[in-house]
mmCIF file of all heavy atoms in Angstrom:
data_model
loop_
_atom_site.group_PDB
_atom_site.id
_atom_site.type_symbol
_atom_site.label_atom_id
_atom_site.label_comp_id
_atom_site.label_asym_id
_atom_site.label_seq_id
_atom_site.Cartn_x
_atom_site.Cartn_y
_atom_site.Cartn_z
ATOM 1 N N SER A 1 -52.543 1.740 316.262
ATOM 2 C CA SER A 1 -51.166 2.169 316.557
ATOM 3 C C SER A 1 -50.174 1.053 316.279
ATOM 4 O O SER A 1 -49.098 1.287 315.722
ATOM 5 C CB SER A 1 -51.044 2.617 318.012
ATOM 6 O OG SER A 1 -51.802 3.785 318.222
ATOM 7 N N LYS A 2 -50.532 -0.166 316.646
ATOM 8 C CA LYS A 2 -49.646 -1.308 316.383
ATOM 9 C C LYS A 2 -49.456 -1.517 314.884
ATOM 10 O O LYS A 2 -48.357 -1.823 314.432
ATOM 11 C CB LYS A 2 -50.187 -2.574 317.034
ATOM 12 C CG LYS A 2 -50.000 -2.590 318.529
ATOM 13 C CD LYS A 2 -50.440 -3.900 319.121
ATOM 14 C CE LYS A 2 -50.213 -3.867 320.623
ATOM 15 N NZ LYS A 2 -50.421 -5.156 321.250
ATOM 16 N N HIS A 3 -50.531 -1.352 314.125
ATOM 17 C CA HIS A 3 -50.437 -1.520 312.676
ATOM 18 C C HIS A 3 -49.562 -0.432 312.062
ATOM 19 O O HIS A 3 -48.727 -0.700 311.194
ATOM 20 C CB HIS A 3 -51.832 -1.524 312.044
ATOM 21 C CG HIS A 3 -51.844 -1.877 310.601
ATOM 22 N ND1 HIS A 3 -52.769 -1.356 309.733
ATOM 23 C CD2 HIS A 3 -51.046 -2.697 309.851
ATOM 24 C CE1 HIS A 3 -52.533 -1.839 308.521
ATOM 25 N NE2 HIS A 3 -51.498 -2.646 308.568
ATOM 26 N N VAL A 4 -49.724 0.806 312.505
ATOM 27 C CA VAL A 4 -48.888 1.911 312.013
ATOM 28 C C VAL A 4 -47.414 1.598 312.278
ATOM 29 O O VAL A 4 -46.567 1.725 311.388
ATOM 30 C CB VAL A 4 -49.294 3.254 312.678
ATOM 31 C CG1 VAL A 4 -48.245 4.336 312.443
ATOM 32 C CG2 VAL A 4 -50.653 3.702 312.148
ATOM 33 N N THR A 5 -47.112 1.156 313.494
ATOM 34 C CA THR A 5 -45.738 0.822 313.845
ATOM 35 C C THR A 5 -45.229 -0.341 312.994
ATOM 36 O O THR A 5 -44.090 -0.311 312.504
ATOM 37 C CB THR A 5 -45.640 0.484 315.347
ATOM 38 O OG1 THR A 5 -46.088 1.622 316.092
ATOM 39 C CG2 THR A 5 -44.222 0.140 315.748
ATOM 40 N N ALA A 6 -46.063 -1.348 312.782
ATOM 41 C CA ALA A 6 -45.664 -2.509 311.976
ATOM 42 C C ALA A 6 -45.390 -2.106 310.528
ATOM 43 O O ALA A 6 -44.422 -2.587 309.914
ATOM 44 C CB ALA A 6 -46.741 -3.587 312.040
ATOM 45 N N VAL A 7 -46.211 -1.226 309.971
ATOM 46 C CA VAL A 7 -45.995 -0.760 308.600
ATOM 47 C C VAL A 7 -44.673 0.004 308.512
ATOM 48 O O VAL A 7 -43.866 -0.229 307.609
ATOM 49 C CB VAL A 7 -47.176 0.104 308.102
ATOM 50 C CG1 VAL A 7 -46.836 0.801 306.783
ATOM 51 C CG2 VAL A 7 -48.430 -0.738 307.948
ATOM 52 N N ALA A 8 -44.444 0.908 309.462
ATOM 53 C CA ALA A 8 -43.197 1.684 309.465
ATOM 54 C C ALA A 8 -41.983 0.759 309.588
ATOM 55 O O ALA A 8 -40.975 0.940 308.890
ATOM 56 C CB ALA A 8 -43.212 2.710 310.597
ATOM 57 N N GLU A 9 -42.081 -0.245 310.449
ATOM 58 C CA GLU A 9 -40.976 -1.197 310.605
ATOM 59 C C GLU A 9 -40.764 -2.015 309.331
ATOM 60 O O GLU A 9 -39.620 -2.310 308.964
ATOM 61 C CB GLU A 9 -41.235 -2.113 311.796
ATOM 62 C CG GLU A 9 -41.089 -1.404 313.132
ATOM 63 C CD GLU A 9 -41.505 -2.244 314.326
ATOM 64 O OE1 GLU A 9 -42.031 -3.375 314.144
ATOM 65 O OE2 GLU A 9 -41.306 -1.770 315.464
ATOM 66 N N ALA A 10 -41.851 -2.374 308.658
ATOM 67 C CA ALA A 10 -41.727 -3.131 307.410
ATOM 68 C C ALA A 10 -41.048 -2.303 306.324
ATOM 69 O O ALA A 10 -40.200 -2.813 305.582
ATOM 70 C CB ALA A 10 -43.110 -3.600 306.942
ATOM 71 N N VAL A 11 -41.413 -1.035 306.238
ATOM 72 C CA VAL A 11 -40.771 -0.132 305.270
ATOM 73 C C VAL A 11 -39.293 -0.009 305.589
ATOM 74 O O VAL A 11 -38.434 -0.174 304.708
ATOM 75 C CB VAL A 11 -41.457 1.255 305.267
ATOM 76 C CG1 VAL A 11 -40.620 2.290 304.527
ATOM 77 C CG2 VAL A 11 -42.858 1.155 304.673
ATOM 78 N N ASP A 12 -38.983 0.264 306.846
ATOM 79 C CA ASP A 12 -37.591 0.414 307.253
ATOM 80 C C ASP A 12 -36.800 -0.867 306.973
ATOM 81 O O ASP A 12 -35.684 -0.815 306.448
ATOM 82 C CB ASP A 12 -37.522 0.794 308.729
ATOM 83 C CG ASP A 12 -36.109 1.097 309.187
ATOM 84 O OD1 ASP A 12 -35.408 1.869 308.493
ATOM 85 O OD2 ASP A 12 -35.701 0.567 310.234
ATOM 86 N N GLY A 13 -37.380 -1.999 307.293
ATOM 87 C CA GLY A 13 -36.697 -3.273 307.055
ATOM 88 C C GLY A 13 -36.438 -3.534 305.587
ATOM 89 O O GLY A 13 -35.342 -3.960 305.202
ATOM 90 N N ALA A 14 -37.428 -3.272 304.751
ATOM 91 C CA ALA A 14 -37.258 -3.486 303.308
ATOM 92 C C ALA A 14 -36.159 -2.598 302.747
ATOM 93 O O ALA A 14 -35.351 -3.038 301.918
ATOM 94 C CB ALA A 14 -38.580 -3.224 302.580
ATOM 95 N N LEU A 15 -36.113 -1.355 303.184
ATOM 96 C CA LEU A 15 -35.094 -0.447 302.663
ATOM 97 C C LEU A 15 -33.715 -0.767 303.235
ATOM 98 O O LEU A 15 -32.714 -0.650 302.525
ATOM 99 C CB LEU A 15 -35.477 0.999 302.923
ATOM 100 C CG LEU A 15 -36.715 1.462 302.143
ATOM 101 C CD1 LEU A 15 -36.952 2.940 302.347
ATOM 102 C CD2 LEU A 15 -36.607 1.149 300.675
ATOM 103 N N ARG A 16 -33.654 -1.189 304.480
ATOM 104 C CA ARG A 16 -32.357 -1.584 305.045
ATOM 105 C C ARG A 16 -31.783 -2.779 304.291
ATOM 106 O O ARG A 16 -30.574 -2.845 304.070
ATOM 107 C CB ARG A 16 -32.473 -1.876 306.542
ATOM 108 C CG ARG A 16 -32.556 -0.608 307.366
ATOM 109 C CD ARG A 16 -32.694 -0.912 308.864
ATOM 110 N NE ARG A 16 -32.910 0.309 309.599
ATOM 111 C CZ ARG A 16 -31.941 1.048 310.130
ATOM 112 N NH1 ARG A 16 -30.685 0.691 309.987
ATOM 113 N NH2 ARG A 16 -32.228 2.152 310.796
ATOM 114 N N ARG A 17 -32.643 -3.714 303.891
ATOM 115 C CA ARG A 17 -32.170 -4.856 303.093
ATOM 116 C C ARG A 17 -31.618 -4.393 301.754
ATOM 117 O O ARG A 17 -30.776 -5.060 301.157
ATOM 118 C CB ARG A 17 -33.283 -5.880 302.913
ATOM 119 C CG ARG A 17 -33.554 -6.682 304.177
ATOM 120 C CD ARG A 17 -34.513 -7.832 303.969
ATOM 121 N NE ARG A 17 -35.854 -7.424 303.602
ATOM 122 C CZ ARG A 17 -36.778 -6.995 304.463
ATOM 123 N NH1 ARG A 17 -36.495 -6.902 305.747
ATOM 124 N NH2 ARG A 17 -37.978 -6.655 304.037
ATOM 125 N N ALA A 18 -32.094 -3.239 301.279
ATOM 126 C CA ALA A 18 -31.578 -2.641 300.038
ATOM 127 C C ALA A 18 -30.439 -1.658 300.341
ATOM 128 O O ALA A 18 -30.046 -0.880 299.476
ATOM 129 C CB ALA A 18 -32.704 -1.936 299.288
ATOM 130 N N HIS A 19 -29.945 -1.669 301.583
ATOM 131 C CA HIS A 19 -28.829 -0.817 302.026
ATOM 132 C C HIS A 19 -29.177 0.672 302.007
ATOM 133 O O HIS A 19 -28.330 1.506 301.724
ATOM 134 C CB HIS A 19 -27.568 -1.101 301.215
ATOM 135 C CG HIS A 19 -27.217 -2.551 301.188
ATOM 136 N ND1 HIS A 19 -26.722 -3.211 302.291
ATOM 137 C CD2 HIS A 19 -27.323 -3.480 300.206
ATOM 138 C CE1 HIS A 19 -26.529 -4.483 301.985
ATOM 139 N NE2 HIS A 19 -26.887 -4.675 300.737
ATOM 140 N N VAL A 20 -30.444 0.982 302.306
ATOM 141 C CA VAL A 20 -30.901 2.370 302.406
ATOM 142 C C VAL A 20 -31.375 2.586 303.840
ATOM 143 O O VAL A 20 -32.238 1.859 304.328
ATOM 144 C CB VAL A 20 -32.051 2.664 301.411
ATOM 145 C CG1 VAL A 20 -32.541 4.092 301.557
ATOM 146 C CG2 VAL A 20 -31.613 2.368 299.983
ATOM 147 N N ARG A 21 -30.800 3.576 304.499
ATOM 148 C CA ARG A 21 -31.130 3.852 305.892
ATOM 149 C C ARG A 21 -31.751 5.244 306.012
ATOM 150 O O ARG A 21 -31.360 6.160 305.309
ATOM 151 C CB ARG A 21 -29.872 3.797 306.748
ATOM 152 C CG ARG A 21 -29.172 2.451 306.652
ATOM 153 C CD ARG A 21 -28.496 2.061 307.930
ATOM 154 N NE ARG A 21 -27.743 0.835 307.963
ATOM 155 C CZ ARG A 21 -28.134 -0.369 307.574
ATOM 156 N NH1 ARG A 21 -29.279 -0.531 307.023
ATOM 157 N NH2 ARG A 21 -27.376 -1.431 307.714
ATOM 158 N N PRO A 22 -32.706 5.391 306.930
ATOM 159 C CA PRO A 22 -33.319 6.713 307.098
ATOM 160 C C PRO A 22 -32.387 7.679 307.806
ATOM 161 O O PRO A 22 -31.594 7.286 308.670
ATOM 162 C CB PRO A 22 -34.545 6.412 307.969
ATOM 163 C CG PRO A 22 -34.157 5.211 308.765
ATOM 164 C CD PRO A 22 -33.261 4.395 307.855
ATOM 165 N N ALA A 23 -32.486 8.950 307.435
ATOM 166 C CA ALA A 23 -31.753 9.997 308.147
ATOM 167 C C ALA A 23 -32.346 10.158 309.535
ATOM 168 O O ALA A 23 -31.636 10.416 310.504
ATOM 169 C CB ALA A 23 -31.817 11.308 307.377
ATOM 170 N N THR A 24 -33.670 10.008 309.623
ATOM 171 C CA THR A 24 -34.359 10.122 310.908
ATOM 172 C C THR A 24 -35.681 9.369 310.860
ATOM 173 O O THR A 24 -36.259 9.176 309.795
ATOM 174 C CB THR A 24 -34.593 11.602 311.287
ATOM 175 O OG1 THR A 24 -35.088 11.682 312.619
ATOM 176 C CG2 THR A 24 -35.561 12.276 310.360
ATOM 177 N N VAL A 25 -36.121 8.955 312.027
ATOM 178 C CA VAL A 25 -37.430 8.341 312.215
ATOM 179 C C VAL A 25 -38.067 9.060 313.399
ATOM 180 O O VAL A 25 -37.455 9.170 314.458
ATOM 181 C CB VAL A 25 -37.332 6.826 312.503
ATOM 182 C CG1 VAL A 25 -38.705 6.233 312.794
ATOM 183 C CG2 VAL A 25 -36.654 6.093 311.356
ATOM 184 N N GLU A 26 -39.274 9.537 313.219
ATOM 185 C CA GLU A 26 -39.988 10.261 314.277
ATOM 186 C C GLU A 26 -41.346 9.620 314.519
ATOM 187 O O GLU A 26 -41.999 9.180 313.570
ATOM 188 C CB GLU A 26 -40.206 11.727 313.878
ATOM 189 C CG GLU A 26 -38.935 12.510 313.618
ATOM 190 C CD GLU A 26 -38.118 12.772 314.856
ATOM 191 O OE1 GLU A 26 -38.697 12.792 315.967
ATOM 192 O OE2 GLU A 26 -36.897 12.943 314.724
ATOM 193 N N GLY A 27 -41.769 9.587 315.770
ATOM 194 C CA GLY A 27 -43.120 9.171 316.111
ATOM 195 C C GLY A 27 -43.339 7.683 316.290
ATOM 196 O O GLY A 27 -44.465 7.252 316.546
ATOM 197 N N ALA A 28 -42.304 6.882 316.191
ATOM 198 C CA ALA A 28 -42.475 5.430 316.263
ATOM 199 C C ALA A 28 -42.967 4.972 317.639
ATOM 200 O O ALA A 28 -43.690 3.983 317.740
ATOM 201 C CB ALA A 28 -41.176 4.728 315.889
ATOM 202 N N ALA A 29 -42.607 5.680 318.687
ATOM 203 C CA ALA A 29 -42.984 5.263 320.040
ATOM 204 C C ALA A 29 -44.493 5.294 320.256
ATOM 205 O O ALA A 29 -45.045 4.421 320.920
ATOM 206 C CB ALA A 29 -42.279 6.134 321.074
ATOM 207 N N LEU A 30 -45.173 6.284 319.685
ATOM 208 C CA LEU A 30 -46.623 6.409 319.874
ATOM 209 C C LEU A 30 -47.429 5.660 318.825
ATOM 210 O O LEU A 30 -48.517 5.179 319.103
ATOM 211 C CB LEU A 30 -47.039 7.883 319.874
ATOM 212 C CG LEU A 30 -46.533 8.712 321.043
ATOM 213 C CD1 LEU A 30 -46.947 10.162 320.877
ATOM 214 C CD2 LEU A 30 -47.060 8.150 322.354
ATOM 215 N N GLY A 31 -46.922 5.616 317.603
ATOM 216 C CA GLY A 31 -47.617 4.892 316.551
ATOM 217 C C GLY A 31 -48.846 5.585 315.995
ATOM 218 O O GLY A 31 -49.702 4.936 315.403
ATOM 219 N N HIS A 32 -48.948 6.890 316.171
ATOM 220 C CA HIS A 32 -50.068 7.632 315.580
ATOM 221 C C HIS A 32 -49.686 8.199 314.220
ATOM 222 O O HIS A 32 -50.528 8.295 313.331
ATOM 223 C CB HIS A 32 -50.519 8.772 316.490
ATOM 224 C CG HIS A 32 -51.048 8.296 317.794
ATOM 225 N ND1 HIS A 32 -51.114 9.095 318.904
ATOM 226 C CD2 HIS A 32 -51.525 7.094 318.194
ATOM 227 C CE1 HIS A 32 -51.615 8.419 319.914
ATOM 228 N NE2 HIS A 32 -51.862 7.200 319.503
ATOM 229 N N TRP A 33 -48.430 8.615 314.114
ATOM 230 C CA TRP A 33 -47.911 9.204 312.879
ATOM 231 C C TRP A 33 -46.411 8.973 312.888
ATOM 232 O O TRP A 33 -45.684 9.566 313.689
ATOM 233 C CB TRP A 33 -48.242 10.682 312.824
ATOM 234 C CG TRP A 33 -47.732 11.457 311.654
ATOM 235 C CD1 TRP A 33 -46.963 11.011 310.601
ATOM 236 C CD2 TRP A 33 -47.954 12.842 311.399
ATOM 237 N NE1 TRP A 33 -46.703 12.024 309.734
ATOM 238 C CE2 TRP A 33 -47.302 13.174 310.194
ATOM 239 C CE3 TRP A 33 -48.632 13.835 312.061
ATOM 240 C CZ2 TRP A 33 -47.316 14.454 309.659
ATOM 241 C CZ3 TRP A 33 -48.642 15.109 311.528
ATOM 242 C CH2 TRP A 33 -48.000 15.408 310.333
ATOM 243 N N VAL A 34 -45.934 8.089 312.051
ATOM 244 C CA VAL A 34 -44.502 7.806 311.979
ATOM 245 C C VAL A 34 -43.969 8.432 310.700
ATOM 246 O O VAL A 34 -44.537 8.249 309.622
ATOM 247 C CB VAL A 34 -44.210 6.290 311.993
ATOM 248 C CG1 VAL A 34 -42.711 6.037 311.900
ATOM 249 C CG2 VAL A 34 -44.793 5.647 313.243
ATOM 250 N N LEU A 35 -42.900 9.187 310.844
ATOM 251 C CA LEU A 35 -42.238 9.816 309.709
ATOM 252 C C LEU A 35 -40.866 9.171 309.549
ATOM 253 O O LEU A 35 -40.116 9.080 310.512
ATOM 254 C CB LEU A 35 -42.084 11.318 309.949
ATOM 255 C CG LEU A 35 -41.423 12.096 308.818
ATOM 256 C CD1 LEU A 35 -42.078 13.458 308.687
ATOM 257 C CD2 LEU A 35 -39.929 12.244 309.024
ATOM 258 N N LEU A 36 -40.575 8.702 308.328
ATOM 259 C CA LEU A 36 -39.261 8.163 307.993
ATOM 260 C C LEU A 36 -38.698 9.041 306.892
ATOM 261 O O LEU A 36 -39.325 9.193 305.840
ATOM 262 C CB LEU A 36 -39.371 6.714 307.508
ATOM 263 C CG LEU A 36 -39.995 5.732 308.495
ATOM 264 C CD1 LEU A 36 -41.384 5.364 308.029
ATOM 265 C CD2 LEU A 36 -39.143 4.504 308.614
ATOM 266 N N ASP A 37 -37.534 9.608 307.141
ATOM 267 C CA ASP A 37 -36.928 10.542 306.186
ATOM 268 C C ASP A 37 -35.751 9.869 305.493
ATOM 269 O O ASP A 37 -34.721 9.592 306.111
ATOM 270 C CB ASP A 37 -36.466 11.794 306.931
ATOM 271 C CG ASP A 37 -35.890 12.858 306.014
ATOM 272 O OD1 ASP A 37 -35.633 12.574 304.828
ATOM 273 O OD2 ASP A 37 -35.677 13.980 306.500
ATOM 274 N N TYR A 38 -35.930 9.620 304.200
ATOM 275 C CA TYR A 38 -34.882 9.012 303.384
ATOM 276 C C TYR A 38 -34.259 10.035 302.438
ATOM 277 O O TYR A 38 -33.778 9.685 301.370
ATOM 278 C CB TYR A 38 -35.442 7.825 302.595
ATOM 279 C CG TYR A 38 -35.818 6.675 303.488
ATOM 280 C CD1 TYR A 38 -37.131 6.491 303.899
ATOM 281 C CD2 TYR A 38 -34.857 5.781 303.946
ATOM 282 C CE1 TYR A 38 -37.477 5.442 304.736
ATOM 283 C CE2 TYR A 38 -35.195 4.732 304.780
ATOM 284 C CZ TYR A 38 -36.501 4.568 305.168
ATOM 285 O OH TYR A 38 -36.833 3.522 306.003
ATOM 286 N N GLY A 39 -34.275 11.291 302.815
ATOM 287 C CA GLY A 39 -33.690 12.338 301.989
ATOM 288 C C GLY A 39 -34.637 12.773 300.886
ATOM 289 O O GLY A 39 -35.505 13.609 301.116
ATOM 290 N N ASP A 40 -34.505 12.188 299.714
ATOM 291 C CA ASP A 40 -35.368 12.550 298.586
ATOM 292 C C ASP A 40 -36.786 12.007 298.733
ATOM 293 O O ASP A 40 -37.697 12.453 298.037
ATOM 294 C CB ASP A 40 -34.777 12.037 297.273
ATOM 295 C CG ASP A 40 -33.515 12.765 296.880
ATOM 296 O OD1 ASP A 40 -33.346 13.930 297.297
ATOM 297 O OD2 ASP A 40 -32.683 12.184 296.162
ATOM 298 N N VAL A 41 -36.964 11.042 299.611
ATOM 299 C CA VAL A 41 -38.283 10.438 299.839
ATOM 300 C C VAL A 41 -38.600 10.508 301.329
ATOM 301 O O VAL A 41 -37.828 10.030 302.163
ATOM 302 C CB VAL A 41 -38.316 8.968 299.358
ATOM 303 C CG1 VAL A 41 -39.663 8.327 299.676
ATOM 304 C CG2 VAL A 41 -38.016 8.885 297.864
ATOM 305 N N VAL A 42 -39.746 11.099 301.652
ATOM 306 C CA VAL A 42 -40.215 11.176 303.029
ATOM 307 C C VAL A 42 -41.484 10.354 303.127
ATOM 308 O O VAL A 42 -42.403 10.489 302.304
ATOM 309 C CB VAL A 42 -40.460 12.635 303.471
ATOM 310 C CG1 VAL A 42 -41.057 12.692 304.867
ATOM 311 C CG2 VAL A 42 -39.160 13.433 303.413
ATOM 312 N N VAL A 43 -41.518 9.480 304.122
ATOM 313 C CA VAL A 43 -42.628 8.539 304.305
ATOM 314 C C VAL A 43 -43.430 8.947 305.536
ATOM 315 O O VAL A 43 -42.848 9.193 306.607
ATOM 316 C CB VAL A 43 -42.089 7.103 304.485
ATOM 317 C CG1 VAL A 43 -43.237 6.110 304.634
ATOM 318 C CG2 VAL A 43 -41.158 6.727 303.340
#
């Protein structure tokens, strides 16, 4: 769960540095399945 959360945070951080923000992030609190929605790309 910690690794899942760390991966999701790394993705979010990399895209924020590129000035891209997710429309929504779901599941980060549990770390079993994190969904990051960037519109045309869903992670």
